[in-house]
Amino acid sequence: PRSAAAADRGPAPPIVELAGITKRYPGVVANRDVSLRIDTGRVHAVVGENGAGKSTLMKILYGLVEPDEGTITVRGERKVLDSPSAAIAAGIGMVHQHVKLADNFTVLENVILGEEPTSRFGRLDLRRAERELADLCDRHGFTLRPNDRVGELGVGVRQRIELVKALFRGAEVLVLDEPTALLTPQESHDLLAHLRSMAASGLAVVFISHKLDEVLEVADDITVMRRGMTVATTTPAETSAAELARLMVGAEPVEVPPRHGHPSADVALHLQQVCVEATATHGGLTDIDLDLRRGEIVGVAGVEGNGQDELIDAVLGLRAITSGQLLMDGTDATHASTRARRIAGLGVIPTDRHREGLLLDAPLWESRILGQQTSAPIASGQWLHRSVAQREAREVVERADVRTPSVEVFASALSGGNQQKFIVGRELAGNPSVLIAAHPTRGVDIGAQRTIWRELADARDGGLATLLVTADLEELLVLSDRIVVLLRGRIVARYDSGEVGMEELGRAMTGAVSP
C-alpha cells in the first residue's frame, strides 16, 4: 500500500515548490516555465522522454545548475540553491543514477565523508558514527555492513549507501534519478518498497524513471514533462501506462513491426565449446555452444554477473578464449584482435555508453567515426575527411531521430536517450554482419525504447545477425527469435520465440530449470 499521507493531501503547504523555472543553454531551452509541487509523505514521480528536461530540473533543485528564471521555495521560505551544499542545508538530498562513492573507502567512511562526527575534543568519533548509521538503517529497513569496502559491493548495495548518506545529512526531500536503471528485478522491487516506507515515515521522495510500471506502482503523484515543459500532473488512479506514454511523446509510441521472413541458414557467428578463464575480478565461461544466423536476434538472459559481460568480451576479443573456437562468417576469429573483428563486420552497442561508446568531451561527429576512423570514406590513408565525417554524423542524427541542434555539440550535452539512439544509428550505419546489442535501451524513455526496438527489428529483417544481451525480460521476449539463459558462465536453457514467458525465464535464470 502507498503511504498513509497519500490518502489525503490536506491543507498542509508543500515542503518544496518550484515555480516558473526556466533554464537556457546555447541552442536549446532545457526547462521552460516549469512548476512542481513536492509534498511531505508522498512519492512524486517525474516522467518524460530523454531530453524532456527532467534531469535539468532535478539538478536545479539540488543546486548543481542555477535557473535563469523562476523561484524555489522550501517550507514556505524562498531559497537560492546555488550549490549542493545549499541544497543539503535546506534538507534536500539526491541519489544519482551513477553512484558517486569512494571505492577504496568503507561503507561507514563513505556515509560520514564531509559530515564526520567528532568528540568533544575534536577527534573523529567512529563509535558514534557507527551508532548513528545503525540507527538510520534500523529506522528505514536497510541492511549495511559498515566495514565493507565499497569497491567490492554491487550496484544495489551502493545505491542503498547513497540513500543512507543523504539521510545521514538530514535530508527530508530525497531526489532519485533513474534509481532502478542498473538494478536487477529483485533489487528494484526492494528499492520501491523502501521508497514507500520512507514516504510513510514523513519524507518527501522525488522519483525520476522511464519505467512506467514502477511509476504506477510506487507514486502518489506523477508529473509528465515534454520538451522542457510540464504537460500534466496526475495520480496512478487517474491514468495508465498507455496514457502516460502518450503524454510523454505527444502521440502513440512507435510499436515494433511484425517479423518479415525467416532467419537464413547462413551462420554469421559460431561459438563451439568456448571457454574463458575466470580471474580474481571477472567470472569465466564454460563450453559455450551458440550459433547466430543471419536475419535473427538471439537473446541472452541471466541474472547480472552470470557470464553476460564475459560473453560480450569474448566475442569482441577483449577476453582471451582459452579453448574452443569462434568463427565469423565461416572464418576462424578465435584469436583475432578486436580491430580485426570490427573490420570483418562486428558492430557493438556497448554496455556503458559513456565509457565505451562516446567521446563525451568532443563534437558529436567525432563519436560518429569511432571504430571506423581508419576506413573509407571517413579516411584515406592517414588523412581524415572531416567534412565526410560531419555529413555522415548528420545522416545518423536524422535517421535515428537524435535531438541535437548540431553535430558540433559535445556528446555530453545530449540526453541519455539521444546518446543511445546516436550509438545505435552509428553502428547500424556501418552495415555490420554481426551486432552485439548490450542493454540497448537501458536508461531510456519509452519513446526512445520503441524507436531502438524498431531499428533492431528492421535490421534483423534486412539480414543482420544480432546478439541481444539485456536484463529487460520484456525486451528479450519482444525482440528475440531465440533465447539462451546463462547461469554461472554456462548456457543452462534454450528457448524458441513464443515458447517461454517471464516466469519460466526467471526460473531458468535462478537455476530452477534443468539444462
Side-chain angles (χ1 to χ4, degrees):
R2 296 193 176 87
S3 60
D8 180 17
R9 184 188 298 266
I15 187 170
V16 173
E17 189 163 21
L18 293 85
I21 299 294
T22 296
K23 179 61 183 179
R24 302 178 185 87
Y25 292 104
V28 65
V29 180
N31 290 150
R32 188 191 303 274
D33 194 27
V34 175
S35 296
L36 183 69
R37 170 189 172 123
I38 302 168
D39 289 291
T40 298
R42 297 173 76 85
V43 178
H44 195 129
V46 180
V47 301
E49 287 190 282
N50 289 107
K54 310 180 302 297
S55 292
T56 299
L57 188 65
M58 293 305 108
K59 288 176 181 177
I60 288 171
L61 178 58
Y62 191 55
L64 291 167
V65 172
E66 291 190 59
D68 297 318
E69 299 171 16
T71 61
I72 301 174
T73 304
V74 181
R75 298 178 202 85
E77 182 180 347
R78 184 167 173 174
K79 296 283 186 180
V80 176
L81 303 181
D82 54 3
S83 69
S85 297
I88 291 168
I92 299 166
M94 186 169 184
V95 177
H96 301 269
Q97 178 179 335
H98 299 281
V99 296
K100 303 176 183 297
L101 298 172
D103 284 354
N104 58 328
F105 280 19
T106 66
V107 171
L108 180 63
E109 289 166 343
N110 269 281
V111 169
I112 68 174
L113 187 62
E115 292 286 334
E116 297 87 347
T118 57
S119 67
R120 60 192 178 117
F121 302 108
R123 295 180 179 176
L124 177 63
D125 192 342
L126 284 177
R127 289 187 178 179
R128 176 182 154 199
E130 280 201 49
R131 289 195 302 270
E132 291 181 5
L133 174 60
D135 179 62
L136 276 175
C137 288
D138 289 343
R139 199 183 320 156
H140 295 287
F142 292 111
T143 301
L144 292 174
R145 293 194 293 264
N147 296 318
D148 282 356
R149 193 74 55 188
V150 165
E152 300 169 359
L153 302 177
V155 175
V157 180
R158 289 167 176 245
Q159 193 174 70
R160 289 199 292 275
I161 296 169
E162 286 275 33
L163 277 169
V164 172
K165 184 175 179 178
L167 295 171
F168 187 84
R169 283 154 179 71
E172 297 178 62
V173 179
L174 279 171
V175 180
L176 296 96
D177 187 3
E178 293 289 344
T180 65
L182 305 179
L183 301 186
T184 65
Q186 183 57 50
E187 287 173 331
S188 296
H189 175 79
D190 292 344
L191 176 65
L192 297 183
H194 280 304
L195 298 187
R196 287 194 297 267
S197 176
M198 287 188 286
S201 73
L203 297 174
V205 177
V206 183
F207 176 63
I208 301 175
S209 181
H210 294 125
K211 299 180 180 180
L212 300 183
D213 56 338
E214 292 180 353
V215 167
L216 292 169
E217 176 185 349
V218 75
D220 299 310
D221 304 296
I222 305 169
T223 291
V224 183
M225 295 187 68
R226 186 170 73 238
R227 297 186 181 268
M229 298 181 287
T230 48
V231 295
T233 295
T234 183
T235 68
E238 298 168 331
T239 190
S240 65
E243 175 62 13
L244 289 176
R246 188 191 66 76
L247 288 168
M248 285 166 55
V249 302
E252 296 297 328
V254 175
E255 294 301 326
V256 180
R259 169 182 256 300
H260 299 291
H262 300 281
S264 165
D266 295 337
V267 175
L269 181 70
H270 171 71
L271 282 72
Q272 181 178 358
Q273 298 275 283
V274 165
C275 295
V276 171
E277 189 173 333
T279 68
T281 55
H282 294 88
L285 296 175
T286 304
D287 296 334
I288 300 297
D289 288 319
L290 184 64
D291 281 344
L292 182 59
R293 295 170 294 178
R294 295 187 182 282
E296 76 168 346
I297 296 175
V298 174
V300 179
V303 176
E304 185 177 357
N306 276 275
Q308 299 95 315
D309 290 343
E310 289 74 18
L311 178 60
I312 292 168
D313 287 350
V315 175
L316 280 172
L318 298 175
R319 292 282 300 276
I321 294 174
T322 52
S323 64
Q325 190 177 40
L326 183 148
L327 305 179
M328 286 185 62
D329 292 322
T331 300
D332 191 346
T334 307
H335 303 296
S337 67
T338 301
R339 175 178 168 80
R341 298 183 197 198
R342 291 281 280 171
I343 291 173
L346 179 61
V348 58
I349 300 168
T351 300
D352 188 329
R353 57 179 170 260
H354 287 175
R355 294 181 61 187
E356 303 164 348
L358 296 166
L359 299 172
L360 291 174
D361 295 323
L364 195 58
W365 66 264
E366 292 191 26
S367 287
R368 164 63 184 90
I369 64 176
L370 282 180
Q372 301 164 28
Q373 64 267 27
T374 59
S375 305
I378 302 297
S380 300
Q382 295 182 343
W383 295 99
L384 176 69
H385 300 305
R386 176 170 176 162
S387 61
V388 175
Q390 292 170 325
R391 184 189 70 229
E392 295 212 351
R394 288 192 291 269
E395 289 175 359
V396 169
V397 164
E398 182 177 354
R399 185 165 56 245
D401 189 30
V402 178
R403 295 175 188 174
T404 176
S406 166
V407 297
E408 297 295 336
V409 168
F410 280 14
S412 58
L414 271 63
S415 67
N418 283 304
Q419 290 174 346
Q420 192 72 2
K421 286 193 291 185
F422 185 82
I423 290 171
V424 173
R426 176 189 69 202
E427 293 303 307
L428 293 179
N431 295 316
S433 59
V434 176
L435 176 69
I436 300 173
H439 309 282
T441 62
R442 175 179 277 175
V444 308
D445 60 75
I446 190 169
Q449 178 197 59
R450 295 301 197 268
T451 297
I452 292 170
W453 283 4
R454 183 190 61 194
E455 291 289 323
L456 293 176
D458 287 348
R460 172 200 61 196
D461 291 343
L464 179 62
T466 300
L467 188 68
L468 172 66
V469 182
T470 177
D472 187 332
L473 298 188
E474 180 189 10
E475 187 163 77
L476 278 172
L477 295 170
V478 167
L479 290 178
S480 301
D481 299 293
R482 292 185 290 127
I483 297 174
V484 299
V485 179
L486 280 175
L487 179 66
R488 301 186 190 94
R490 295 177 180 268
I491 293 178
V492 297
R494 301 172 188 267
Y495 302 99
D496 287 329
S497 176
E499 71 175 26
V500 65
M502 287 192 185
E503 187 175 339
E504 172 113 9
L505 270 182
R507 288 202 302 269
M509 288 162 61
T510 57
V513 173
S514 299

